[in-house]
Amino acid sequence: MNIAAAANETLAHNSNLLVYSAMAVYTLAFLAHMAEWVFGSRSKVGRTAAALTAQSTASVTVTARKKSRQGGTTAVLERPEVVTKSVAGSRDVPDGPGAAGGTEKGDLYGRIAISLTVLAWALHVGGVLTRALSVERAPWGNMYEFSTTFAAVAVGLYLLLLALGKKVRWIGLPLVTTVLLDLGLAVSVLYTASDQLVPALHSYWLWIHVSCAIISGAALYLGAVSTLLFLFRDSYESRLADPAGKQPGAFASSVLERLPSAASLDKFAYRVNATVFPLWTFTIIAGAIWAEAAWGRYWGWDPKEVWAFITWVAYACYLHARATAGWKGRKAAYLGLIGFACYLFNYYGVNIFVTGLHSYAGV
C-alpha cells in the first residue's frame, strides 16, 4: 500500500468517526428538543385560543349568574367558540416552541437543542468533507454519500433560516429525528467504501447536477414536514371550531397546540416549495445536458429520468393548485406530499429496486 492510499484510508476512517460522533450529538439534540416540546409554550394561536375561551367562559358565567339572580332560573352554559385560525389579511408567522412568550424552562431547552444541533452539524459537515478528501472527488457518488450530504444540507438550511431570524424552531424535532434515521440507514445499510467513480461520472456536471438535486431535496423535505404538520394542525383546529363534533384528546391537544397555526404552516410550505421549484427544474435540465455529454442523448426514458420528471409534474400541479381557489388548503397539501413521495421513490426506490443507467453508482 503506497502512502497516498494509506492517507486516503485514514481519511475515510476519520470520516466515519465524525459521522458517528455527529449521530451521538444529534441524539442529545433530539432529547433537548423533546424537553423543549414538553416544557415549552404553546403556539401563539393556541395561547390566543385559550385566552378567548377563558374570556368567553367568564362572560357567559357572569351573564348566567345575573339572570339566575333576577329570575331564579337555571342557566345552561353553551360551549364558547374557540378561534384558532388567523384573521384574513393578517400576518401570521410560525412561532411554535421556543418562540417569544414561551416559558423560561422551555426556551432554555430550546437553546440547548439548537446549540447541540449546530455542534452535530459541524461534525457532520466535517465527516462529509473528510469523505470528499478521501475519494478526491465530490462526496456524492453513491447512496451513502448522497444520504449523508443530503442530511447535512437539510440541517444547514434549517440553521440558515434560524440565523435569518425566522421562527422555525418547531422544525427542529422532526428534522433531527429524520436526520438520525437517515444517517442510521446510511451507515448500516447503504455504506459503501471509498472508491473512484466510473468514467461517465467524471464530469463537472456531477458538481452542478447532483448538488442542485441535494439542495432541492433538502428544501422540499422542509416543505413536506410543514405540509404534514399542517394537515394535523388543520384537523385539530377544525375540531376545536366544531363544538358539536368530537373534540381532540388531551395528548393530541398538548402536542398540536404547540405548533404554529395551520395557516402559518401552509404558508411556510408553499413559500419553500415555490422557491425551490425553479432549482429542481434546473436540476432536470442539467441532468439532460449531462446525459447528452455522457450517453449521446438528452432523454432516454431511464427510470431515474422518468421519476425526476414525475416529481417535477407533481410539484407543478401543487403550485398550480395553490393558484386555483378551489384547491387551496388540504387538497393542495396532498399534492405536495405526493410530490415529495415521488422524490423519495426516485432516490430510494429507483436506486435499489429498478435497474437503469444510474444503477452503476452502487448502493
Side-chain angles (χ1 to χ4, degrees), residues 232-253:
F232 285 107
R233 176 73 194 196
D234 183 66
S235 177
Y236 171 73
E237 292 181 5
S238 298
R239 287 190 175 187
L240 288 181
D242 182 16
K246 183 179 179 181
Q247 293 299 297
F251 177 76
S253 297

Side-chain angles (χ1 to χ4, degrees), residues 9-32:
E9 184 176 346
T10 301
L11 287 171
H13 177 70
N14 292 337
S15 174
N16 295 338
L17 288 178
L18 287 170
V19 171
Y20 279 109
S21 299
M23 292 176 64
V25 182
Y26 276 131
T27 302
L28 296 177
F30 167 81
L31 296 175

Side-chain angles (χ1 to χ4, degrees), residues 83-97:
V83 181
T84 57
K85 296 182 183 293
S86 59
V87 179
S90 65
R91 180 178 175 83
D92 188 14
V93 296
D95 56 348

